[in-house]
Amino acid sequence: RKEVEQDPGPFNVPEGATVAFNCTYSNSASQSFFWYRQDCRKEPKLLMSVYSSGNEDGRFTAQLNRASQYISLLIRDSKLSDSATYLCVVSTGGFKTIFGAGTRLFVKA
Amino acid sequence: DGGITQSPKYLFRKEGQNVTLSCEQNLNHDAMYWYRQDPGQGLRLIYYSQIVNDFQKGDIAEGYSVSREKKESFPLTVTSAQKNPTAFYLCASSRSHVSSYNEQFFGPGTRLTVL
């Protein structure tokens, strides 16, 4: 079993749709959780950290479920510019940070 | 502007050559990292450094070497011992390795191709 697993997609959605990604992790000692966005042939960019209480940043909402060991990302009112690969990242603290392989999203007009 | 720079953007290497990838940050971050990314895979950690003059092997360090002589610089050398070096190399930094401050920020990457 991979330490961090994501559905690779692709998710194809129309503009304005709501789309959700899930990510599961295997290490119950994990402490920090993040979502990154990566455009084609570019570097990953931090989208948001994920806190136990859940957090929202505009159209993006992230949630953490420690009991079931998964995190989620919800994107509302999808824009064409949201098309990218979304990376789930989990850290057990220190330098042990695991990057998921990513979920590809295509938003179409 | 604060950030992380990597050079070159593209690099071509002949078999048997060593090449060095540059990574510089002006964010005053203590921790720095090198990853490689292959198509369809997650990032894999090559080396990391917590502080100047200290660095540790990551999951795939064989065939690579690093140095950390200055806080802002963390160059990576891909040696001829690395059998499959063609990949996208990403440098990152974080304020610290402590979990509250370990959000990583990435440079634009270097694409290395072996001819």
Side-chain angles (χ1 to χ4, degrees):
Chain A
R1 181 183 174 188
K2 292 182 180 178
E3 293 184 80
V4 174
E5 290 202 71
Q6 296 183 251
D7 180 344
F11 285 62
N12 293 290
V13 302
E15 272 187 295
T18 295
V19 61
F21 307 135
N22 286 331
C23 164
T24 58
Y25 59 94
S26 61
N27 190 336
S28 59
S30 298
Q31 299 177 18
S32 305
F33 308 88
F34 310 94
W35 283 102
Y36 281 74
R37 170 199 170 120
Q38 186 173 25
D39 292 293
C40 187
R41 300 179 70 81
K42 299 286 189 180
E43 75 275 22
K45 293 186 177 178
L46 180 65
L47 182 63
M48 57 200 308
S49 302
V50 187
Y51 305 117
S52 296
S53 56
N55 47 304
E56 186 174 313
D57 183 2
R59 298 182 293 108
F60 299 84
T61 300
Q63 294 199 317
L64 167 64
N65 185 319
R66 285 189 184 272
S68 300
Q69 294 183 204
Y70 78 82
I71 66 174
S72 64
L73 177 68
L74 183 76
I75 304 175
R76 291 181 298 277
D77 189 23
S78 298
K79 311 291 185 190
L80 294 175
S81 57
D82 293 333
S83 297
T85 297
Y86 291 83
L87 308 179
C88 171
V89 181
V90 176
S91 174
T92 55
F95 292 94
K96 185 65 172 175
T97 299
I98 307 298
F99 287 77
T103 298
R104 296 190 71 185
L105 171 66
F106 293 102
V107 181
K108 299 185 176 182
Chain B
D1 287 339
I4 305 175
T5 58
Q6 290 184 243
S7 63
K9 187 173 181 179
Y10 299 98
L11 185 58
F12 299 91
R13 191 194 91 170
K14 294 181 181 178
E15 290 204 22
Q17 274 185 336
N18 292 352
V19 291
T20 298
L21 283 58
S22 168
C23 177
E24 304 276 333
Q25 55 99 359
N26 61 4
L27 300 168
N28 199 33
H29 285 174
D30 285 326
M32 297 187 75
Y33 314 77
W34 273 106
Y35 295 91
R36 72 175 273 170
Q37 187 175 35
D38 295 281
Q41 296 189 34
L43 279 66
R44 292 184 291 167
L45 182 65
I46 304 172
Y47 267 98
Y48 62 90
S49 170
Q50 179 180 342
I51 200 166
V52 175
N53 292 322
D54 174 76
F55 49 83
Q56 303 295 330
K57 293 182 179 180
D59 300 319
I60 56 165
E62 186 176 349
Y64 299 98
S65 65
V66 293
S67 63
R68 187 89 186 275
E69 297 177 1
K70 298 186 295 182
K71 185 176 184 177
E72 58 271 21
S73 179
F74 192 39
L76 173 75
T77 296
V78 184
T79 75
S80 57
Q82 169 50 237
K83 298 306 178 189
N84 185 24
T86 295
F88 187 37
Y89 289 87
L90 289 157
C91 178
S93 70
S94 63
R95 279 179 65 183
S96 165
H97 67 287
V98 174
S99 60
S100 300
Y101 303 104
N102 66 347
E103 294 136 324
Q104 296 183 27
F105 298 90
F106 287 84
T110 293
R111 291 197 178 274
L112 173 63
T113 302
V114 174
L115 302 174

